[in-house]
Amino acid sequence: TTLVANLGIALARMGKDVTVIDANLTTPNLGLHLGVPLSPITIHDVLKGKANIAQAIYRHESGLKVIPAGIALKDLKGVDARDLSTAILDLLGNTEIVLIDAAAGLGREALAAVEASDEMLLITNPDLPAVTDALKSAKLAEQMGTNVTGIVINRKSGKRHEMTREEILSMLDGYPLIGEISEDEEVKNALSKRNPVVN
């Protein structure tokens, strides 16, 4: 979520027309990161057929377009994550780049986000379970016809218990390592202000 919010703003600042979608339907946080926690119309409303996707778009001060998810338990009632692909079709031709913030793991809503995407960038932490899960996700994405662009190692602190870059690369089975992001206290400060680091 942190990467999607910050990458979205960075791309918007470069003049790109970018829309970010919170597809983590059960535990959404993208709106919190971008300062739009309570929105009258959300991706949940779109999935329920109560609104079209254009009505769920909010504009961040950076120019980034945000489609948040509802944070109340009642928002989950009547939502089927499998409808995500159809719901976002109306964005085609109306935005240059769509970034989907997917749930972690291999659950139904995560798979719906993978299915709705042309490409997938996997974000993982430098520990064995996380890297193993990322590799499983990459294999599953390929089976679903979604291209795996690469993997980003997030929250690197350089502590002894972390996997080394070489150990991670040896597990990636040929998937490219796109980048490494260090642990940074400024991320927590930015979240408390509901304002991404790059803003």
Side-chain angles (χ1 to χ4, degrees), residues 26-90:
T26 51
T27 53
N29 288 309
L30 187 61
L32 296 172
H33 282 252
L34 292 166
V36 284
L38 299 172
S39 310
I41 301 173
T42 68
I43 191 69
H44 285 90
D45 297 307
V46 176
L47 293 173
K48 291 177 188 180
K50 292 182 175 179
N52 66 52
I53 202 150
Q55 295 172 295
I57 296 174
Y58 300 86
R59 199 171 278 275
H60 186 267
E61 62 185 32
S62 64
L64 177 68
K65 296 175 193 168
V66 183
I67 301 175
I71 59 174
L73 280 175
K74 66 178 174 61
D75 292 320
L76 295 173
K77 190 173 182 180
V79 170
D80 190 338
R82 293 172 294 190
D83 294 332
L84 184 64
S85 289
T86 305
I88 66 175
L89 280 177
D90 287 339

Side-chain angles (χ1 to χ4, degrees), residues 8-188:
I9 287 179
L11 288 167
R13 291 247 163 92
M14 292 169 64
K16 302 292 184 185
D17 185 340
V18 186
T19 303
V20 294
I21 303 173
D22 196 340
N24 187 342
L25 303 174
T26 51
T27 53
N29 288 309
L30 187 61
L32 296 172
H33 282 252
L34 292 166
V36 284
L38 299 172
S39 310
I41 301 173
T42 68
I43 191 69
H44 285 90
D45 297 307
V46 176
L47 293 173
K48 291 177 188 180
K50 292 182 175 179
N52 66 52
I53 202 150
Q55 295 172 295
I57 296 174
Y58 300 86
R59 199 171 278 275
H60 186 267
E61 62 185 32
S62 64
L64 177 68
K65 296 175 193 168
V66 183
I67 301 175
I71 59 174
L73 280 175
K74 66 178 174 61
D75 292 320
L76 295 173
K77 190 173 182 180
V79 170
D80 190 338
R82 293 172 294 190
D83 294 332
L84 184 64
S85 289
T86 305
I88 66 175
L89 280 177
D90 287 339
L91 291 175
L92 293 176
N94 294 313
T95 191
E96 192 176 352
I97 299 168
V98 177
L99 299 176
I100 301 175
D101 181 22
L106 299 171
R108 186 172 59 195
E109 62 189 284
L111 295 179
V114 172
E115 187 177 33
S117 303
D118 296 325
E119 298 179 61
M120 183 167 78
L121 182 63
L122 285 158
I123 316 302
T124 187
N125 293 339
D127 60 64
L128 187 59
V131 175
T132 302
D133 288 348
L135 191 54
K136 280 191 278 190
S137 297
K139 298 289 186 190
L140 189 58
E142 283 192 339
Q143 289 175 18
M144 295 173 73
T146 302
N147 180 51
V148 178
T149 305
I151 297 179
V152 172
I153 306 301
N154 197 21
R155 304 189 72 175
K156 252 190 110 166
S157 65
K159 293 184 177 170
R160 296 174 87 185
H161 68 271
E162 289 182 350
M163 292 179 71
T164 65
R165 186 175 200 272
E166 292 70 30
E167 288 170 335
I168 293 169
L169 284 170
S170 72
M171 286 184 65
L172 293 186
D173 201 24
Y175 296 109
L177 180 62
I178 300 293
E180 299 172 80
I181 302 171
S182 298
E183 181 74 58
D184 191 335
E185 283 297 312
E186 282 306 310
V187 172
K188 292 176 186 172

